[in-house]
Amino acid sequence: MQHTTSDIEPSPASSSAWASALAGLGALAVAMGIGRFAFTPILPMMQEDFGLSVSEGGWLATANYAGYLAGALSAIRMRIRPTVAIRAGLLVIGLSTCAMGLEHRFAIWIALRATAGIASAWVLVFVSAWTLERLALLGRSDLSGAVYSGVGAGILAAGGACLVVMSLHARSADAWLSLGVISIAVTAAIWPFLRASPSAHATAAPATAPPDLWSAEFRRLVLCYGAFGFGYIIPATFLPAMAKQIVEDPHLFGWAWPVFGAAAVVSTVFSAQLRRLLSNRATWIRGHFVMALGVVIPLAVPGLPGIVIAALLVGSTFVVVTMVGLEEARRAAGPRARALMAAMTSAFALGQILGPVIVGFLVQSTGGFAPALILAAAILALSAFSLQRKETVRE
């Protein structure tokens, strides 16, 4: 049987949905893979080049998370078109990342990482609100997994780029400059797709009364999302540094972060299909328990194998929890979803601010990562039980 061109061409609505999903993927790859987490694979190189201590690394990470908190809080009240905020955020990330490779003063590094954090929060909040709404209106909510796989793709790309830099025996400044150029190139590529308003093929969402963002249920979502930020940021920030303590060869310890990113990509796409069987909240609960296991696994499995298993477990859950948490916010808050997403992202950032500071203190006090890992896993488990109680009531 022969098909005409019109039979096999995708519909305009389908093409628009894919364009929006890929634009969201690229934006999150830049914002999260580079704006937020590029510091993680570069940290061992900066320690080598500049003698950066774990405590100083913690302060640089905290500056980024403080900026992320400020950006998320500002997004609650911002009255700006999402695409404008996304574009502005991406440009700031690209320029500030390049500047990290050109400037070597610690105080300037603090300012640059804070600036990148502000921009990254804008991109995450506004990309989530813009793409999830568009995909829902276009009847392609199933593409949300493709959007959030951008986080893992960005981490994988940043980690891979750092592996190349290390293999060439280049310096950390070269890694920052390379990632800055990549950020600007991706921004240029997706720029034309950040214009369109919802398609004419979309159907309007039913009007609902704005929910109370101060309700007990919404506070639960915000607090549990903050616990997620605290619980995962400890291995996410210091995983390569932990690996470097075990093996000096950068070709070995440098693989911890790309493995983390690859696991995030695969798990995000897989979970988008799994959610046909599980609710967002049920997936969120399971994600916290798996992540808690990944956080403490290096204590039970010594050496590099424990680090790799941790990277797989934490990497396979952190983007999934991000995705289902923000989709749960959209489901629960309706027309006020962006405000709830921003509040949850603010709590997430606050958890991340506390994480590196506590790690730095505990490492100095105890000489190891074990107490911090145990604390992070306990908080993740407790928050999962809190979500489980509500899920049981709903069922």
Side-chain angles (χ1 to χ4, degrees), residues 362-383:
L362 291 176
V363 168
Q364 285 186 329
S365 301
T366 67
F369 288 96
L373 297 179
I374 293 171
L375 177 62
I379 289 176
L380 284 166
L382 288 173
S383 61

Side-chain angles (χ1 to χ4, degrees), residues 101-194:
L102 300 174
E103 179 58 59
H104 298 148
R105 286 173 291 181
F106 187 77
I108 303 299
W109 282 347
I110 290 283
L112 289 172
R113 293 308 294 153
T115 300
I118 293 171
S120 297
W122 288 351
V123 175
L124 177 66
V125 171
F126 285 99
V127 163
S128 296
W130 180 66
T131 56
L132 292 180
E133 178 186 15
R134 281 184 57 82
L135 294 177
L137 291 173
L138 294 166
R140 293 304 308 270
S141 293
D142 58 303
L143 292 180
S144 62
V147 174
Y148 286 97
S149 69
V151 179
I155 289 173
L156 177 60
C162 289
L163 274 176
V164 172
V165 170
M166 286 187 288
S167 68
L168 295 174
H169 304 289
R171 295 172 61 84
S172 56
D174 300 309
W176 284 115
L177 287 169
S178 298
L179 293 179
V181 170
I182 292 171
S183 297
I184 293 171
V186 173
T187 299
I190 66 174
W191 192 276
F193 303 103
L194 294 173

Side-chain angles (χ1 to χ4, degrees), residues 66-130:
Y68 194 69
L69 173 60
L73 288 171
S74 67
I76 296 175
R77 299 292 183 185
M78 285 176 69
R79 297 293 181 265
I80 186 174
R81 283 191 302 165
T83 52
V84 173
I86 295 167
R87 285 176 168 180
L90 292 174
L91 286 175
V92 169
I93 290 166
L95 294 175
S96 62
T97 303
C98 286
M100 284 292 294
L102 300 174
E103 179 58 59
H104 298 148
R105 286 173 291 181
F106 187 77
I108 303 299
W109 282 347
I110 290 283
L112 289 172
R113 293 308 294 153
T115 300
I118 293 171
S120 297
W122 288 351
V123 175
L124 177 66
V125 171
F126 285 99
V127 163
S128 296
W130 180 66

Side-chain angles (χ1 to χ4, degrees), residues 277-303:
L277 304 175
L278 296 174
S279 68
N280 287 327
R281 191 183 295 258
T283 305
W284 187 351
I285 291 166
R286 286 158 176 78
H288 272 215
F289 282 126
V290 173
M291 183 178 292
L293 176 62
V295 168
V296 295
I297 202 72
L299 304 180
V301 181

